[in-house]
Amino acid sequence: MIDNKQPSVLASLDWWTIGIYLALLIFGWVSVCGASYNYGDNEIFSLGARSGMQIIWIGTSIALGLVILLLDDRFYDTFSYVIYGVLILLLFATIFNPHSIKGSHSWLVLGPLRLQPAEFGKFATALAVAKFMSSYGFSMQNLKHFMAAVGIIVLPMLCIVGQRETGSALVYLSFFLMLYREGMPGAILFTGVSMVAYFVVGVKYENVMMWDTYTSVGKFVVLLLVQIFTAGMVNSYTGDRKQALMILAYSVGITLLFVLFSTYVIPFDIVWIQLFLCAMLIGFLVYQGLRTRFRNYFLISIFSLGSIAFFYSADYVLNHVMEPHQRVRINVLLGLDEDLAGAGYNVHQSEIAIGSGGLQGKGFLNGTQTKLKFVPEQDTDFIFCTVGEEEGFLGSAGVLLLFLALILRLMHLAERQPYKFGRIYGYCVLSVFLFHLFINVGMVLGLTPVIGIPLPFFSYGGSSLWGFTILLFIFLRIDAGRNLVRS
């Protein structure tokens, strides 16, 4: 006898992930209590206190998650583009919002309720890009298909930048991790990492001179990296190891020769020699491309030329394009400025709070740095410093391990999806959580720029909590339908 009974949604749900979600909500609420508590205040459950309001946000988030689980999993596939279109219109309309909060126009004020559409744009974008990339005939190797997928990701970014909310816009870069999983060439990801390295090294050491020469350490190292990276790409994408070693040997050998000449004979700026070597290298790659008709040589030459152009434009962008507060934050992060009373104040006080927690912490509601309000935004963007002060190293490590468990579980769920739509959406969810965790904890510790993004399930506020819950529970509902027999 054949059993045609369909497995129930409850039986198919991943309860491990739901358990981690609930644990993060509990620890997050405890952290909000610690961050917003005032000495002598016994009303932590009062709606007039942030800890009390966070209970409302948590309760409504759980209710929202239950509603999402009640819907058919095919609903999210069918209406992906509709949801995306509505959110794009909302994001665009928010640009013209007359209400400005801390210089940002990203909030919609509806009486006592404030909502940030950018937090909901993440799940809408994840649904749309998953729908598009899972459609019949899509190929990551097709340039038009790839650029269309990138366009779906970039469009909400542009709307959010228009709201003067750069931090929230940068979160959408996390979707490129999903694109890499789905077959995006590793060279694109490597190019992005290289650009970051060029910017950091070039800006930080631009005014540092090599020994007794006129050569900038920043420019020297970046141009040398361009040549080394180019040699590595020739080896990886043309398969000609001998040619790659030849390029490396000539670049390093000639550069070293002129370094010695500049140091012991006539001091001069070696950067001009390096620029000449880069020009010769690009010319050689173009010649090889024309001779062999192998497209990868042209692409590598574009990488080299683009690297140099990006590096020399970085200084202009930093000093003439970025807002003054963004420029100061980057200078503080790179150690060019200290500014402990200004842009570096938040991070400095956060580091003091975390360091004062020691191994076991000061205990619940006993943190002095947070109670005396030394750390600005300590219950939102800088909530992790409360964890470090009250729970110490052990508590902080426990929270990070809990997030690690969530990310590993999401990876497992994404890989077991029978359909491409579910897998792509799952990796979008994973990428967003990973980006938020890495950047938020990094900025609290002074390792990444302060761009003002929340720590999932910890930072105070309804928009972020609802946004993360929707993002996660849609995936849980899609995963729960993996074993259903479709008619």
Side-chain angles (χ1 to χ4, degrees):
M1 181 178 178
I2 300 176
D3 184 9
N4 293 322
K5 185 179 180 181
Q6 296 274 36
S8 68
V9 174
L10 289 178
S12 301
L13 276 177
D14 186 70
W15 290 100
W16 283 105
T17 303
I18 292 178
I20 296 171
Y21 166 77
L22 294 174
L24 288 171
L25 288 181
I26 293 170
F27 285 121
W29 180 78
V30 169
S31 299
V32 170
C33 285
S36 59
Y37 175 78
N38 294 311
Y39 284 119
D41 185 4
N42 297 320
E43 301 296 329
I44 62 173
F45 296 103
S46 170
L47 295 183
R50 288 207 161 194
S51 54
M53 277 303 300
Q54 189 72 355
I55 294 177
I56 301 298
W57 300 133
I58 290 173
T60 52
S61 295
I62 294 174
L64 191 58
L66 292 175
V67 170
I68 291 171
L69 295 179
L70 291 175
L71 295 174
D72 190 291
D73 61 295
R74 288 172 291 189
F75 171 86
Y76 306 107
D77 188 342
T78 304
F79 293 98
S80 294
Y81 291 145
V82 176
I83 295 171
Y84 178 76
V86 170
L87 260 297
I88 289 296
L89 289 175
L90 189 59
L91 288 171
F92 182 74
T94 308
I95 297 175
F96 307 99
N97 172 30
H99 299 282
S100 176
I101 299 176
K102 296 180 180 178
S104 171
H105 293 268
S106 62
W107 294 87
L108 291 178
V109 181
L110 307 172
L113 185 65
R114 297 190 307 180
L115 292 176
Q116 191 175 23
E119 293 296 336
F120 304 101
K122 286 175 280 194
F123 83 84
T125 304
L127 285 173
V129 76
K131 175 73 171 179
F132 178 74
M133 292 178 61
S134 62
S135 60
Y136 178 76
F138 176 86
S139 174
M140 189 67 76
Q141 282 66 47
N142 186 309
L143 183 60
K144 291 183 179 179
H145 292 176
F146 174 71
M147 293 307 297
V150 171
I152 292 174
I153 296 169
V154 170
L155 182 57
M157 286 184 66
L158 296 177
C159 293
I160 296 171
V161 169
Q163 300 169 6
R164 302 177 65 84
E165 190 65 32
T166 309
S168 297
L170 291 175
V171 173
Y172 288 77
L173 294 176
S174 64
F175 288 105
F176 280 84
L177 294 176
M178 175 277 298
L179 294 176
Y180 178 69
R181 164 61 182 83
E182 293 301 315
M184 181 183 73
I188 296 178
L189 199 62
F190 177 75
T191 300
V193 174
S194 300
M195 297 304 174
V196 174
Y198 299 153
F199 184 84
V200 171
V201 174
V203 171
K204 185 175 178 62
Y205 299 104
E206 181 181 10
N207 297 318
V208 178
M209 298 296 146
M210 290 179 59
W211 301 302
D212 294 326
T213 67
Y214 302 102
T215 306
S216 163
V217 171
K219 293 180 180 179
F220 175 85
V221 173
V222 168
L223 291 174
L224 187 60
L225 284 176
V226 171
Q227 297 167 49
I228 293 173
F229 289 165
T230 301
M233 294 187 80
V234 168
N235 179 59
S236 299
Y237 294 102
T238 69
D240 195 334
R241 185 174 183 181
K242 182 179 179 181
Q243 193 173 79
L245 291 174
M246 181 191 71
I247 291 172
L248 189 62
Y250 273 109
S251 298
V252 175
I254 294 175
T255 299
L256 180 61
L257 180 65
F258 277 97
V259 166
L260 294 175
F261 182 84
S262 177
T263 303
Y264 297 105
V265 184
I266 302 175
F268 71 98
D269 191 351
I270 307 168
V271 169
W272 291 108
I273 299 297
Q274 288 184 298
L275 285 172
F276 175 77
L277 288 175
C278 287
M280 293 295 293
L281 178 56
I282 293 170
F284 173 74
L285 292 171
V286 171
Y287 167 75
Q288 287 293 99
L290 293 173
R291 186 178 68 84
T292 63
R293 298 188 179 278
F294 192 17
R295 188 180 66 170
N296 285 3
Y297 280 111
F298 294 112
L299 296 178
I300 296 171
S301 67
I302 292 173
F303 165 81
S304 303
L305 183 61
S307 296
I308 297 171
F310 172 84
F311 168 61
Y312 276 94
S313 64
D315 183 68
Y316 176 81
V317 171
L318 179 65
N319 293 302
H320 301 284
V321 176
M322 290 186 174
E323 297 291 337
H325 68 278
Q326 296 171 332
R327 183 164 58 250
V328 171
R329 286 176 178 176
I330 289 177
N331 286 338
V332 170
L333 177 68
L334 297 179
L336 300 176
D337 295 326
E338 196 168 56
D339 195 20
L340 298 182
Y345 178 81
N346 291 28
V347 174
H348 181 62
Q349 294 298 327
S350 175
E351 291 172 341
I352 292 175
I354 292 175
S356 67
L359 180 64
Q360 297 180 334
K362 298 176 180 178
F364 180 54
L365 302 182
N366 291 324
T368 54
Q369 287 293 115
T370 50
K371 299 306 159 296
L372 296 175
K373 312 301 179 187
F374 280 108
V375 185
E377 310 296 341
Q378 61 188 22
D379 55 0
T380 52
D381 298 341
F382 282 80
I383 187 105
F384 191 73
C385 72
T386 304
V387 179
E389 184 178 28
E390 295 192 347
E391 310 303 328
F393 174 80
L394 295 178
S396 300
V399 168
L400 293 178
L401 288 174
L402 204 56
F403 274 111
L404 176 62
L406 174 64
I407 290 168
L408 292 177
R409 194 66 194 170
L410 290 174
M411 186 180 298
H412 170 71
L413 298 186
E415 287 295 336
R416 76 180 185 185
Q417 297 305 304
Y419 303 106
K420 195 175 179 181
F421 175 81
R423 184 182 73 236
I424 294 172
Y425 182 82
Y427 270 99
C428 288
V429 176
L430 183 155
S431 300
V432 169
F433 279 117
L434 187 62
F435 187 92
H436 271 272
L437 176 65
F438 178 78
I439 297 298
N440 183 275
V441 175
M443 72 182 191
V444 170
L445 297 175
L447 301 176
T448 58
V450 178
I451 61 175
I453 61 173
L455 183 63
F457 310 121
F458 272 69
S459 296
Y460 172 80
S463 292
S464 65
L465 195 52
W466 288 354
F468 288 125
T469 298
I470 295 172
L471 187 71
L472 178 63
F473 272 74
I474 287 178
F475 182 46
L476 290 176
R477 182 61 187 91
I478 293 171
D479 176 68
R482 70 190 182 281
N483 295 323
L484 295 179
V485 179
R486 306 297 185 182
S487 56

